[in-house]
């Protein structure tokens, strides 16, 4: 269930006690890292007389590790200090727990990590890995028990909002789109920040994921500027070169499926506030600094910004094509951000950086190109060929865009038939489907919901558009 029940099936304490290897999966921002941090806290506070070891690694910080000793002790001990401990770890690996937080593709990480995960090193150690749902099928998970992090349940959302924004929570609770966003803890934090800012009473509140990110980026630029500039759009325009440098680095890192930025993209402290510096020990007296975005989704947002700031039709089309490949399918996460960034409604980032006409020119071909590329024809033969479409993903993109014309183009392409068989619809995708269906006022839509799992909150959204369904 996407707004999970109040009963937690598995707690961090349960995960700590089990002797099994654990694959901790979930959507971006859902709380995978928070779960591992809670496990560390519980481990540190135990009253345990037996010697055991627990190591936590943020995988953004591990790029140049050569061997097990460097991995375990490189940043924390003087030369030779850890030798005796390392030998005990090797001799008693059943007393060792290793957490690798933020695995993407094992082949992109140091070989020592791959050997540990595959049990070629410390074969009896307990391994805990966190990764996105999208990366799960590429991970060798035969020896792991799978645990999915589900996020905030309904009561937890109310408790969190009450603690962070007080009476303002009523505005969130009365808006189903905002409320469903808050089941992802990271988005709940972002919603809280947006509502805690001083804004007019009747100002529009963000109701989509990209809306949230635009508000957060603008908010961060404002609070990190020395002047707290009231004309924020003009201030953003003065940061054009620095933001473009950051966005370009984000794009190339995302394309390479890495979160390690080896070069500092600019010198401006305001723009650099979106990065964490990572100091790595490369020798007894030598340190090198790399950088990583505060969260992988922030990196993807800036990557989308760079693509639109350089609206090369062939390059954007290449990204659409990459989404259809196994190697580069992760690039699809840029598309919903691009769809919203093309919309010049307030708040906007792109209209501070691009002339409105240039955005309109890009928008004129962007959505047709996206839909045509992502609607591939099966090779079954002309007499029974059919479109192989990720309908739900396209609906989410169009919901971010708030572009009725693009919705009608998709519906016409699909002959007004939306096939969602077998999908698990959390409330936000239901908002997206309902939005697309609501655009078709002249012709009824065939909506296939066979074997669909949908929550009560999501059904409320779908009920609102049924007048357009045949």
């Amino acid at each position: 269930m996407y707004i999970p029940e109040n009963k937690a099936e598995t707690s961090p304490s349960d995960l700590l006690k089990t002797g099994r290897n654990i694959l901790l999966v979930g959507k971006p921002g859902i709380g995978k890292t928070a779960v591992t941090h809670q496990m560390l806290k519980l481990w540190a506070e135990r009253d345990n007389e037996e010697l055991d070891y627990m190591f936590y690694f943020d995988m953004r910080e591990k790029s140049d590790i050569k061997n097990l000793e460097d991995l375990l002790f490189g940043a924390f001990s003087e030369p030779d200090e850890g030798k005796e401990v390392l030998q005990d770890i090797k001799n008693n690996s059943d007393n060792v727990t290793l957490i690798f937080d933020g695995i993407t593709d094992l082949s992109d990480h140091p070989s020592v990590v791959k050997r540990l995960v595959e049990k070629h090193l410390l074969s009896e150690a307990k391994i805990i890995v966190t990764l996105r749902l999208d990366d799960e099928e590429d991970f060798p998970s035969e020896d792991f028990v799978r645990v999915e992090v589900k996020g905030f349940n309904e009561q937890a959302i109310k408790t969190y909002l009450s603690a962070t924004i007080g009476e303002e929570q009523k505005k969130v609770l009365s808006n189903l789109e905002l409320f469903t966003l808050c089941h992802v803890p990271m988005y709940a934090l972002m919603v809280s920040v947006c509502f805690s800012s001083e804004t007019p009473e009747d100002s529009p509140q963000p109701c989509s994921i990209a809306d949230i990110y635009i508000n957060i980026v603008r908010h961060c630029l404002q609070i990190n500027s020395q002047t707290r500039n009231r004309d924020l759009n003009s201030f953003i325009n003065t940061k054009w070169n620095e933001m473009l440098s950051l966005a370009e680095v984000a794009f190339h890192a995302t394309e390479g499926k890495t979160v390690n930025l080896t070069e500092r993209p600019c010198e401006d402290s305001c723009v650099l506030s979106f990065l964490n510096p990572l100091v790595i020990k490369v020798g007894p007296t030598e340190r090198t600094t790399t950088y990583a975005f505060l969260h992988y989704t922030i990196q993807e947002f800036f990557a989308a910004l760079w693509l639109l700031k350089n609206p090369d039709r062939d390059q954007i089309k290449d990204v659409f094509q990459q989404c259809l490949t196994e190697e580069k399918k992760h690039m699809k996460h840029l598309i919903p951000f691009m769809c919203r960034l093309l919309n010049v409604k307030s708040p906007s980032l792109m209209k501070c950086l691009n002339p409105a006409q240039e955005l309109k020119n890009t928008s004129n071909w962007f959505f047709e190109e996206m839909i045509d590329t992502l609607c591939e024809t099966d090779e079954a033969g002309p007499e029974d060929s059919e479109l192989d479409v990720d309908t739900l993903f396209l609906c989410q993109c169009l919901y971010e865009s708030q572009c009725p014309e693009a919705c009608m183009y998709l519906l016409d392409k699909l002959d007004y038939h939306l096939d969602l068989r077998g999908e698990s619809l959390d409330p936000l995708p239901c908002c997206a489907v309902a939005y697309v269906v609501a655009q078709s006022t002249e012709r009824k839509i065939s909506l296939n919901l066979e074997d669909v799992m949908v929550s009560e909150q999501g059904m409320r959204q779908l009920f609102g558009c049924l007048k357009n369904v045949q």
Side-chain angles (χ1 to χ4, degrees), residues 28 198 233 264 353:
E198 293 182 15
N233 288 349
R264 187 176 171 129
L353 308 174

Side-chain angles (χ1 to χ4, degrees), residues 58-199:
D58 182 340
M59 295 313 295
R60 295 180 302 174
E61 302 180 20
K62 303 299 171 190
S63 57
D64 299 318
I65 301 298
K66 301 294 189 297
N67 55 47
L68 183 62
E69 185 175 0
D70 284 347
L71 178 70
L72 299 183
F73 301 109
F76 306 111
S77 67
E78 296 299 323
D80 299 325
E81 197 174 63
K83 299 288 187 184
E84 186 177 340
V85 178
L86 178 61
Q87 191 58 49
D88 187 58
I89 286 173
K90 290 179 177 179
N91 294 341
N92 302 283
S93 63
D94 55 327
N95 290 331
V96 179
T97 300
L98 301 167
I99 300 175
F100 297 111
D101 186 17
I103 291 281
T104 50
D105 188 324
L106 268 180
S107 61
D108 295 331
H109 296 291
S111 61
V112 64
V113 174
K114 185 173 186 290
R115 293 173 66 199
L116 285 164
V117 169
E118 295 178 346
K119 298 295 187 176
H120 300 309
L121 276 177
L122 304 184
S123 59
E124 300 299 319
K126 175 179 174 179
I127 307 294
I128 300 171
V129 169
T130 77
L131 75 168
R132 285 181 171 189
L133 288 168
D134 287 350
D135 297 323
E136 186 180 357
E137 63 184 55
D138 298 323
F139 185 83
S141 57
E142 296 83 6
D143 298 323
F144 287 75
V145 57
R146 180 187 185 276
V147 178
E148 184 173 348
V149 182
K150 291 291 191 178
F152 283 158
N153 59 45
E154 188 163 343
Q155 184 54 50
I157 293 173
K158 293 176 180 176
T159 302
Y160 179 81
L161 294 176
S162 175
T164 54
I165 57 176
E167 287 299 309
E168 291 287 306
Q169 68 170 309
K170 293 177 181 176
K171 296 179 183 177
V172 181
L173 299 178
S174 63
N175 184 318
L176 189 56
E177 289 93 340
L178 273 176
F179 181 74
T180 55
L181 268 178
C182 288
H183 105 88
V184 177
M186 186 172 70
Y187 298 153
L189 167 64
M190 292 178 166
V191 168
S192 297
V193 171
C194 291
F195 271 88
S196 62
S197 303
E198 293 182 15
T199 53

Side-chain angles (χ1 to χ4, degrees), residues 17 20 38 56 70 100 109 114 135 141-142 195 204 208 212 247 253 261 278 298 309 312 316 331 366 372 377 382 399:
K17 292 173 185 175
R20 301 281 303 279
Q38 180 67 2
Y56 170 87
D70 284 347
F100 297 111
H109 296 291
K114 185 173 186 290
D135 297 323
S141 57
E142 296 83 6
F195 271 88
S208 75
I212 290 284
L261 313 180
L278 309 167
I298 299 284
K309 189 63 191 78
D312 181 330
I316 291 177
M331 296 296 285
F366 177 91
D372 288 345
T377 304
Y399 176 65

Side-chain angles (χ1 to χ4, degrees), residues 5 9 26 36 52 83 124 193 199 218-219 234 248 256 269 275 288 296 299 310 316 360 372 386 427 440 464:
E5 294 177 351
E9 294 182 6
T36 61
D52 63 348
K83 299 288 187 184
E124 300 299 319
V193 171
T199 53
R218 290 171 62 90
H219 180 76
S234 296
E248 183 176 9
S269 60
L275 300 178
T288 185
Y296 192 33
Q299 177 176 310
N310 297 271
I316 291 177
K360 188 175 186 301
D372 288 345
E386 58 181 36
S440 181

Side-chain angles (χ1 to χ4, degrees), residues 446-463:
S446 169
L447 186 61
N448 190 340
L449 299 177
E450 182 182 353
D451 294 328
V452 163
M453 294 179 63
V454 59
S455 67
E456 181 182 344
Q457 291 84 359
M459 284 306 300
R460 286 185 224 159
Q461 292 287 350
L462 294 178
F463 284 146

Side-chain angles (χ1 to χ4, degrees), residues 203-274:
S203 64
Q205 294 298 337
C207 291
S208 75
I209 292 171
D211 268 353
I212 290 284
Y213 278 85
I214 290 172
N215 274 280
I216 290 297
V217 169
R218 290 171 62 90
H219 180 76
C220 288
L221 289 171
Q222 187 168 44
I223 65 174
N224 284 292
S225 66
Q226 296 296 320
T227 59
R228 299 292 178 93
N229 200 310
R230 290 186 178 275
D231 187 0
L232 184 58
N233 288 349
S234 296
F235 175 74
I236 293 173
N237 196 43
T238 67
K239 299 295 179 184
W240 182 89
N241 287 325
E242 291 83 356
M243 288 187 66
L244 193 59
S245 295
L246 183 65
E248 183 176 9
V249 167
F251 174 78
H252 293 304
T254 304
E255 192 173 38
K257 209 173 185 182
T258 181
V259 292
N260 285 292
L261 313 180
T262 56
E263 296 183 11
R264 187 176 171 129
C266 66
E267 297 301 321
D268 186 87
S269 60
C270 185
V271 174
L272 286 175
S273 64
F274 295 104

